[in-house]
Every structure is written in C-alpha cells, then in structure tokens.
Amino acid sequence: MRKNLGAKAYTYPQPVFILAAYGEDGTPNAMNAAWGGISDDKELTMCISASHKTTEDILARKAFTVSMADAAHVEACDYVGIVSGTKEPDKFANAGFHAVKSEFIDAPLIEELPIAVECRLKSYDPESCRMVGEIVNISVDERVLDENGKVDVAKAQPITFDPFNNTYVVLGATVGRAFHDGMNLKK
C-alpha cells in the first residue's frame, strides 16, 4: 500500500550544498542550498532565488564555490541557511568558517569543508531561480582521501537533507560498487 503525499519537492537524498561567493567589498558570504546537482559533465545547476545576498554576490562576481556540508560542521552549515546575509553581514565568520581564495575563480573556498566544486557562472534565470555554473575545478582536502588518493566517504562524512523529516543525514556506508553489483542478481 502506498500513501500519496501530493506534488512536493521531495527527493532523497538531497545533498546539502554550501554556496559561497565574495561580496562587493570582498567579504565572503555563504548559504545552504539543497536543490541542485550535476546537470552536464562539467556543469552544476542550482535552484536559488534572486532574493538571497549570496545570489546577488554570485551575479556580481560571476563565480561561486559549492562545498559539500559535512557532519562535523552541521551546525555551521545550518546556520548559513537560516541567517540572511542581508541582515547579518558577518554570517560567514559567525558560522566559524574561514575563507581561502580559489586559485581558479573569484570565489572563496571554505577551509572547514573538505570537498568543493569551483564554478564560473554560466547563466541565471530569476524567474525559474535556475543558476548554472561551469565546473572549473574540484578541490579536496587531503584529510578525506584514502591511501589511493580517492575521496573516502567515511572520512568526508557528507550530509544530505531529508525533506520527508526535515533532518540532516550522514552518508558513509558503502553498500556496493556502482554499475557492478547488479550484475550478480541471478543466484
């Protein structure tokens, strides 16, 4: 038996992305966004409204970073989603974040969050709130790499947003290899 929930923006998992950009005065700003993902092999698409200070900053600088929120910084990541940059100009610092200038774009990396996608703005449609960024670089802190130089999800501990229960969930357990284990369905 199924229960119908109606038309809602519920998919699972929804990555918790922290978008960051520099303001007009060079102050770093960040916001929490769960509606986004890869839309082409070198493209990331986000749904963020024009009313956000971070959107304004991204449009002005034509660049932004998208960090993966993690379990160790869940409070800070939630904070930048609750507090408005238009009302609290130091919310980046108040969250406990430290900015590191990207080598590739005019946007800050968040030192505390180990995985980031560095993007150059391709387009923004204020009606649909669709923002598209060209992926210029992926930056990964070595502390979350395994002995083979690959990201170890158990070390990175990315979080996802659970829209059904309005909670954050930690990822980390490997249950199989993609495009491999399904080959063994016949017993």
Side-chain angles (χ1 to χ4, degrees), residues 5-11 35:
L5 301 179
K8 299 186 185 290
Y10 287 4
T11 60
W35 290 3

Side-chain angles (χ1 to χ4, degrees), residues 20-22 63-65 100-103 105-109 118-119:
Y22 288 119
F64 60 101
T65 60
V100 176
K101 175 134 181 50
S102 165
E103 296 177 39
I105 58 169
D106 185 20
L109 292 164
E118 300 170 59
C119 296

Side-chain angles (χ1 to χ4, degrees), residues 60-142:
R61 298 281 184 138
K62 308 289 188 231
F64 60 101
T65 60
V66 181
S67 295
M68 309 312 132
D70 65 8
H73 301 95
V74 67
E75 291 88 0
C77 293
D78 193 50
Y79 173 81
V80 297
I82 295 170
V83 175
S84 170
T86 57
K87 295 178 182 165
E88 178 50 63
D90 277 342
K91 81 173 188 173
F92 192 94
N94 290 346
F97 289 149
H98 298 89
V100 176
K101 175 134 181 50
S102 165
E103 296 177 39
F104 301 94
I105 58 169
D106 185 20
L109 292 164
I110 300 172
E111 187 174 357
E112 290 73 18
L113 301 178
I115 303 171
V117 181
E118 300 170 59
C119 296
R120 189 174 298 121
L121 180 66
K122 281 183 79 173
S123 64
Y124 180 67
D125 178 5
E127 277 190 41
S128 67
C129 301
R130 186 174 188 257
M131 178 175 288
V132 180
E134 173 193 0
I135 299 172
V136 176
N137 185 50
I138 304 292
S139 171
V140 179
D141 190 311
E142 291 180 1

